[in-house]
Amino acid sequence: MPTRKLRYLLLTLFLTGSASAFSVSRVLPQKQATHFCRLFINDGEDIKPLSVHVQRVIESNDSLTSEQIFVEYLLRNNNWQSLRIFPHNHDDGTVVWYAPADELPASLGNEHQKYIREVFPRLITEVQAENWSTVDAYIDRMIQYQCRFGGRKFSSQPQPVIIICFFCAIFFAMFLWRKLRKYTINYLSSSR
């Protein structure tokens, strides 16, 4: 039975060994990691951008953002294979989301199957080569794939209407605050 010191040493070696086995060059820069997390995922209950899940479960550290940590985890040891990010709108109108490791139906077509199986290995090759513009292009194509075959419009960006409503609400709150402040000052000065 290993002693406490030995267990600590083994744990430390395991953690540092696994960290050193994962090349630092495979960590995406913040811009690309944030871009990647704009992709949608079917989590079995809902379809949401990855960024929603990432912010809920991962805290950033001193050197990496939550998105960078998440993408590093996905790219390490093929963890991306179970990520259901590839939608397909079937003839009956249902949309099914597939992961690269899923058994893909023949109705999906050879080109779709090839894309789903090969896009991540190619993306990882570009990440390892640090070809960030090509990485962005791969991510853009995956987002376009989701928009085209997802059966509805997706956007990981805030909608303009929401932004306008937000600024109108802020403006209205500032307006009310000034009126209330002015009313309070007038009331206080008149009561003296």
Side-chain angles (χ1 to χ4, degrees), residues 92-106:
D92 64 359
T94 61
V95 177
V96 179
W97 289 67
Y98 297 101
D102 288 346
E103 187 173 323
L104 302 174

Side-chain angles (χ1 to χ4, degrees), residues 29-43:
Q30 182 177 356
K31 178 184 172 208
Q32 282 74 25
T34 302
H35 189 196
F36 183 88
C37 288
R38 287 180 52 211
L39 285 164
F40 283 82
I41 182 172
N42 181 335
D43 64 5

Side-chain angles (χ1 to χ4, degrees), residues 167-177:
F167 283 112
C168 287
I170 289 175
F171 177 75
F172 185 67
M174 289 172 49
F175 174 77
L176 286 177
W177 174 255

Side-chain angles (χ1 to χ4, degrees), residues 16-176:
T16 58
S18 63
S20 64
F22 185 68
S23 167
V24 174
S25 67
R26 286 176 60 184
V27 174
L28 265 65
Q30 182 177 356
K31 178 184 172 208
Q32 282 74 25
T34 302
H35 189 196
F36 183 88
C37 288
R38 287 180 52 211
L39 285 164
F40 283 82
I41 182 172
N42 181 335
D43 64 5
E45 295 176 20
D46 200 7
I47 300 166
K48 295 179 184 164
L50 284 169
S51 59
V52 171
H53 297 285
V54 169
Q55 296 301 325
R56 243 187 318 174
V57 297
I58 299 176
E59 291 184 27
S60 60
N61 65 23
D62 292 339
S63 61
L64 299 174
T65 65
S66 302
E67 291 86 357
Q68 287 174 296
I69 294 168
F70 179 74
V71 174
E72 177 184 351
Y73 167 77
L74 282 180
L75 299 182
R76 183 190 310 220
N77 299 323
N78 298 327
N79 291 322
W80 50 268
Q81 290 189 4
S82 61
L83 201 62
R84 288 186 288 168
I85 63 171
F86 298 102
H88 186 68
N89 194 349
H90 292 276
D91 293 335
D92 64 359
T94 61
V95 177
V96 179
W97 289 67
Y98 297 101
D102 288 346
E103 187 173 323
L104 302 174
S107 64
L108 201 54
N110 289 335
E111 284 189 40
H112 289 279
Q113 290 185 25
K114 183 177 179 181
Y115 178 74
I116 291 169
R117 300 271 192 246
E118 293 180 4
V119 68
F120 271 99
R122 290 180 182 191
L123 175 70
I124 291 168
T125 300
E126 297 302 327
V127 168
Q128 289 172 334
E130 298 183 5
N131 294 329
W132 306 124
S133 61
T134 307
V135 168
D136 279 328
Y138 273 102
I139 296 167
D140 283 336
R141 282 189 221 118
M142 286 193 285
I143 291 170
Q144 290 168 3
Y145 186 95
Q146 289 184 328
C147 291
R148 183 168 179 200
F149 299 106
R152 65 178 184 183
K153 296 251 181 206
F154 296 104
S155 174
S156 58
Q157 300 299 318
Q159 297 296 319
V161 173
I162 295 170
I163 293 171
I164 291 168
C165 290
F166 175 74
F167 283 112
C168 287
I170 289 175
F171 177 75
F172 185 67
M174 289 172 49
F175 174 77
L176 286 177

